[in-house]
Amino acid sequence: QVYVVFSEELQCWCRALVESVRRQADGCQLGCFLVDHAKYCSVASENIRVLAGAFAKIPYRAKKCCLHCTKPLTLHIDYCENTAKIGPAKRWDTAAIQHFRKLLD
């Protein structure tokens, strides 16, 4: 279900999907994906509202997606043998993410 949350970073109300809920001493923090800005944010539970009917039917501007059959790679350095090889990684590293974003721009 899509809700409306107040984003502190953007300083406006945005449509969002709630992905996680964390209890804290002063209330709950919601992990949200902003469907019109393609951003993740954390929102306090008092900054969430139910979305009015007509606005829920507007298509999202952002969509979650992944690259088909593309696996992350990283540079494995062996200091003992003084070699470097490219091999599989569990996660994309920061440099690869930045390079991909530059390619998209």
Side-chain angles (χ1 to χ4, degrees):
Q1 183 175 351
V2 180
Y3 294 93
V4 179
V5 299
F6 186 78
S7 169
E8 294 290 335
E9 179 185 349
L10 300 172
Q11 288 297 305
C12 65
W13 289 91
C14 307
R15 294 187 300 164
L17 294 171
V18 176
E19 296 195 336
S20 65
V21 178
R22 288 177 304 214
R23 288 196 172 272
Q24 295 181 335
D26 60 341
C28 292
Q29 283 290 105
L30 308 169
C32 299
F33 176 72
L34 305 179
V35 297
D36 293 320
H37 299 280
K39 292 182 178 241
Y40 290 92
C41 69
S42 184
V43 177
S45 59
E46 60 267 7
N47 289 335
I48 186 169
R49 306 286 186 272
V50 176
L51 187 60
F55 291 108
K57 296 177 183 172
I58 298 172
Y60 305 157
R61 290 181 58 201
K63 293 187 186 225
K64 290 184 186 182
C65 60
C66 62
L67 299 173
H68 181 68
C69 294
T70 304
K71 304 285 185 200
L73 297 174
T74 191
L75 186 63
H76 296 282
I77 299 172
D78 186 347
Y79 292 105
C80 296
E81 295 185 22
N82 200 23
T83 60
K85 297 178 184 176
I86 292 179
K90 292 181 181 179
R91 298 179 47 174
W92 291 100
D93 61 12
T94 306
I97 294 169
Q98 289 174 350
H99 178 70
F100 181 71
R101 286 184 177 155
K102 285 180 185 176
L103 290 173
L104 290 175
D105 291 339

